[in-house]
């Protein structure tokens, strides 16, 4: 894993957006794996700004999001589909037909999960996967105890995830308890992965992901087996890494030039 520790939180998002922009400039028909969560908002804002002001085009790009809440229709105000449309897709020139999320309101969610995995395969797999991380080490909605060999399926949300995501729902609104999520093996098949984490509340999960044993207790630790993963952190998210000084010696200020 390449571990980049930026000098501040504000430097994390333009770095990630710049990598995505460079990739789609070179590969205009790339397939991107996209994530939801608050961490992604500034990344999508920066990509939309580059589209507006610098003519960055998404016209040939295909996207697959990681997950969707079971039971929420695409136009439900709290669905990830609506969130992605409002926050990102509406602000760029992507063809809506080429943006994919699992259908949370599918009559047979298990069948929808299997069909979603097939749709990713039929598109030739994910070239670049963007990831956040949950405070319990989840990626997508692969909660602790997920099989590290899993493909797209239904997962029950952990109580800490329901608590963490409650802020996106109304005060008295019932939170979904299950999600359709791509699996850990689905994520591992991506050619390139960029994972972002900021803030102290992610520090334990980040340390377990990068330095802990590979374990279903921290699903993101499976990424230790991925050959092309870059993790971009702010100082707070990096604060519990035992080898922090080593990562900073290799990549001073979190800049991406190898000083081997
Ligand atoms: C959700 C998503 C994850 C995301 C995580 C962290 O549970 N399913 O893909 O990484 O939340 O979200 P945030 O960036 O809001 O901390």
């Amino acid at each position: 894993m390449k571990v980049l520790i930026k000098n501040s939180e504000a430097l994390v998002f333009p770095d990630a957006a710049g990598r995505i922009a460079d990739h789609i400039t070179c590969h205009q028909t790339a397939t991107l794996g996209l994530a939801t969560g608050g961490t992604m908002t500034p990344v999508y804002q920066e990509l939309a700004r580059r589209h507006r002001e610098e003519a960055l085009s998404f016209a040939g790009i295909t996207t697959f999001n990681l997950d969707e809440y079971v039971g929420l229709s695409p136009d439900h105000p709290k669905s990830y589909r609506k969130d992605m449309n409002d926050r990102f897709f509406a602000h760029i020139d992507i063809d809506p037909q080429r943006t994919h999320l699992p259908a949370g309101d599918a009559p047979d969610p298990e069948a929808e999960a299997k069909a979603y995995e097939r749709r990713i395969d039929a598109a030739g797999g994910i070239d670049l996967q963007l990831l956040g991380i949950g405070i319990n080490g989840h990626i997508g909605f692969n909660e602790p105890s997920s099989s590290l060999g899993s493909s797209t399926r239904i997962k029950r949300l952990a109580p800490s995830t329901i608590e963490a995501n409650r802020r996106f729902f109304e005060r008295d609104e019932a939170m979904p308890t299950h999600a359709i999520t791509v699996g850990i093996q689905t994520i591992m098949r991506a050619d390139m992965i960029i994972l972002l984490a900021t803030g102290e509340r992610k520090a334990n999960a980040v340390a377990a992901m990068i330095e802990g044993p590979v374990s279903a207790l921290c699903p993101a630790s499976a990424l230790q087996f991925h050959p092309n993963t870059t993790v971009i952190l702010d100082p707070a998210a990096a604060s519990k890494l035992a080898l922090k000084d080593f990562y900073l010696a290799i990549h001073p200020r979190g800049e991406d030039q190898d000083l081997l």
Side-chain angles (χ1 to χ4, degrees):
M1 269 186 211
K2 187 181 284 183
V3 181
L4 305 178
I5 306 171
K6 298 290 183 183
N7 280 348
S8 73
E9 181 181 27
L11 295 173
V12 169
F13 312 114
D15 185 313
R19 284 162 196 272
I20 297 166
D22 288 350
H23 187 81
I24 67 176
T25 301
C26 294
H27 305 94
Q28 295 181 7
T29 58
T31 301
L32 303 181
L34 298 181
T36 50
T39 309
M40 299 305 149
T41 300
V43 177
Y44 296 145
Q45 284 171 343
E46 172 61 11
L47 287 170
R49 185 197 68 74
R50 286 182 185 230
H51 167 65
R52 224 170 32 246
E53 296 175 12
E54 297 169 11
L56 177 68
S57 178
F58 295 78
I61 298 300
T62 299
T63 66
F64 285 90
N65 265 75
L66 290 165
D67 43 24
E68 180 60 280
Y69 290 114
V70 170
L72 302 197
S73 64
D75 57 358
H76 187 285
K78 301 301 159 54
S79 72
Y80 278 165
R81 161 53 84 181
K82 175 114 176 42
D83 176 57
M84 289 302 297
N85 285 350
D86 293 353
R87 228 171 9 143
F88 190 33
F89 300 145
H91 307 284
I92 56 175
D93 61 342
I94 198 160
D95 174 356
Q97 300 294 331
R98 279 210 277 263
T99 67
H100 304 273
L101 282 92
D105 61 347
D108 181 346
E110 291 283 359
E112 168 63 6
K114 288 195 170 68
Y116 195 70
E117 183 82 23
R118 285 196 297 273
R119 288 203 281 278
I120 295 174
D121 285 344
I126 306 290
D127 301 319
L128 192 169
Q129 175 69 57
L130 183 61
L131 290 179
I133 183 169
I135 52 175
N136 61 1
H138 73 225
I139 46 177
F141 271 130
N142 292 284
E143 299 285 24
S145 85
S146 287
S147 159
L148 303 186
S150 50
S151 53
T152 307
R153 70 214 183 290
I154 314 294
K155 284 299 288 180
R156 190 188 181 99
L157 305 183
S160 66
T161 301
I162 293 179
E163 207 40 56
N165 288 357
R166 193 175 290 287
R167 69 190 194 278
F168 298 114
F169 288 76
E170 305 305 327
R171 204 189 320 197
D172 296 326
E173 200 173 2
M175 274 276 305
T177 54
H178 292 74
I180 300 176
T181 179
V182 302
I184 295 180
Q185 270 315 310
T186 323
I187 292 170
M188 293 290 284
R189 282 201 296 272
D191 290 341
M192 192 189 322
I193 295 176
I194 300 173
L195 184 146
L196 312 182
T198 62
E200 213 273 325
R201 73 196 178 100
K202 299 288 175 71
N204 285 328
V206 164
M209 164 178 71
I210 298 172
E211 297 176 336
V214 173
S215 159
L217 267 185
C218 177
S221 65
L223 299 175
Q224 291 177 33
F225 281 119
H226 191 274
N228 190 3
T229 290
T230 300
V231 180
I232 311 176
L233 306 171
D234 72 346
S239 60
K240 303 222 166 127
L241 288 167
L243 302 182
K244 187 169 63 178
D245 292 346
F246 179 58
Y247 309 134
L248 280 166
I250 301 170
H251 301 291
R253 298 171 301 282
E255 282 162 20
D256 192 358
Q257 30 183 236
D258 291 321
L259 304 175
L260 295 175

